[in-house]
Amino acid sequence: MSTDIDSSTDTLPGAGPGAFDPGAFDPDAIVVTGIGAVLPTGRGPEALWTAWREGRPALVPYQDPYVRTQKITHFGHVPADLQQVSRDSVPHKLRKFGTAFTFNAVLAAEDAMRAAGEGWQAIPEERRGLYVAQDDSTELSVAAFHKALDQARTDTSPGMGADLTRVVAEAFGNAATFNPFTVIRALNNNTLALVSIAQRFRGDCAAFVQDAGAALGALQRAAFSLRHGDCDTALVVGAGSFNEPLKLAAQYRAGNLTAGGRGAASLRSFDAERDGTVLAEGAVALVLERAGDAAARGARPLVTVLGTTLRPTVDSAVGPAALAESARGLLAAHGVTPERLGAVLAEGRGTVQHDAAETELLRALLKDSGVPVSSVRPVIGTLGAAGPLAELALAPSLFAAGELPPIAHLETPPDGGTDFVTGAPRKRRIDSVLSLHSSFNGFAGALLAERPHLV
């Protein structure tokens, strides 16, 4: 990662007194020392940052060999060549137990561990914590059965045919004999299982499900375990995919998807012409440590994770104002006022309803504070469990570059005092960032991070 902005430079907005007080080094602070990403924008956080800064969306026409539809126009697919690299990163004997998106998780974890430095590898396997967030994406999927039926119908070898037992075995990835152990592909902790085996984690662990809320829960648990000595390092992985026929159909019927009239620029967060979101897939992994441990082994902290907040929104009484109060409580708990924030990364899902509610939340939270708001959503689409981790992975680039990229395709922003960044990147020293998240499953929350305190 490139070097930080010189702290003596006060010419950028937000760099005045009180913008960032380095204070005393806190050895118990939770810092990120390694980042890995497998996303529609490519491999690594730098690819995501470049695409966001250039306003270059990674949303392409939807394509799947076993799903035929004219209703789903675009999707944030992980590029096919990168998907193959992910598959190749998993030991051959383990591949029958995984899925395409858990292969992405293994590669992201491998990259994060490598980025954390060689000293990290010396940590005993039983002291490595693993905290995984996974979408409710499972096998067997409708597409898996479709593929198995096709193979059964077309195979003319003796003993073949559309026998139900064989079709089930084929769909589970073990056509020769039905091995019950392959049922692991159908579980919501599949990512945890595959990463723990492939990357040798034998310590404290936990698996969370339910889109963006799962990632916030995994971060909370990782920080708790580090602070209480349950592990010496923590790998947090978020992975999933909306590319499953029943999930796609449910989002289409709910009216959440764009009609795709503007091609790759169809996801128009907060714009007056928005008409829905574009779903996506991917994986992000972060190595978390106590700052003192990272300093002792000579690792460079990339970002400090201050905290998260997460709450259900299924209760009609929990509206934008209440969610804004929850985010304000997170800021207050860490001595940050809205005015001192460097930037806010909004969800910006792109549906009429979600963006209207988030606009109200931002208005209540920021109250003309002048803090700029952007969103990476139009570039990578709506990720599930990987979403909050992807935005945390962007924080080091925000700190180093001294600018906040705009919301791509935003031509007519909402009125009401919130400073949405449009057009060109906003030059500004950024020492802290608040990212907002919500899920289709009734959870909403926020994540607060800051420039790391160096020894």
Side-chain angles (χ1 to χ4, degrees), residues 60-84:
V60 298
Y62 177 78
Q63 52 190 343
D64 188 280
Y66 295 99
V67 180
R68 299 175 181 88
T69 177
Q70 295 180 341
K71 305 297 186 182
I72 314 299
T73 63
H74 287 76
F75 193 83
H77 290 286
V78 170
D81 56 347
L82 180 55
Q83 188 69 67
Q84 185 60 48

Side-chain angles (χ1 to χ4, degrees), residues 262-435:
R262 301 199 187 193
S266 292
L267 204 172
R268 309 183 72 82
S269 300
F270 301 110
D271 192 76
E273 300 299 321
R274 68 190 185 277
D275 70 340
T277 197
V278 175
L279 302 174
E281 62 188 0
V284 177
L286 308 171
V287 171
L288 270 60
E289 303 179 67
R290 293 179 291 265
D293 294 341
R297 68 178 188 84
R300 177 178 174 80
L302 303 174
V303 56
T304 298
V305 182
L306 293 180
T308 65
T309 181
L310 179 65
R311 64 182 299 174
T313 60
V314 291
D315 186 341
S316 60
V318 180
L323 294 175
E325 194 60 36
S326 181
R328 190 176 292 110
L330 174 63
L331 295 175
H334 296 280
V336 180
T337 64
E339 292 77 13
R340 289 185 59 201
L341 271 175
V344 172
L345 301 186
E347 175 73 30
R349 188 166 299 175
T351 73
V352 174
Q353 179 180 358
H354 285 103
D355 280 13
E358 189 171 20
T359 298
E360 185 177 341
L361 186 162
L362 289 165
R363 189 180 300 118
L365 173 64
L366 300 178
K367 294 182 178 178
D368 299 310
S369 63
V371 176
V373 176
S374 188
S375 175
V376 72
R377 200 66 54 233
V379 171
I380 57 171
T382 293
L383 296 167
L389 304 188
E391 297 193 2
L392 187 54
L394 286 168
S397 295
L398 289 170
F399 301 150
E403 63 180 29
L404 180 63
I407 303 175
H409 326 312
L410 178 54
E411 297 175 357
T412 309
D415 297 326
T418 300
D419 184 13
F420 291 97
V421 180
T422 62
R426 181 73 57 82
K427 297 295 182 182
R428 177 181 178 88
R429 180 183 172 94
I430 298 174
D431 293 318
S432 58
V433 60
L434 176 75
S435 62

Side-chain angles (χ1 to χ4, degrees), residues 11-70:
T11 58
L12 295 175
F20 183 71
D21 179 9
F25 174 75
D26 179 7
D28 293 323
I30 305 301
V31 297
V32 175
T33 56
I35 301 174
V38 178
L39 295 167
T41 49
R43 185 177 181 180
E46 296 81 6
L48 176 59
W49 167 256
T50 300
W52 185 27
R53 191 183 184 284
E54 296 176 355
R56 177 166 40 83
L59 310 178
V60 298
Y62 177 78
Q63 52 190 343
D64 188 280
Y66 295 99
V67 180
R68 299 175 181 88
T69 177
Q70 295 180 341

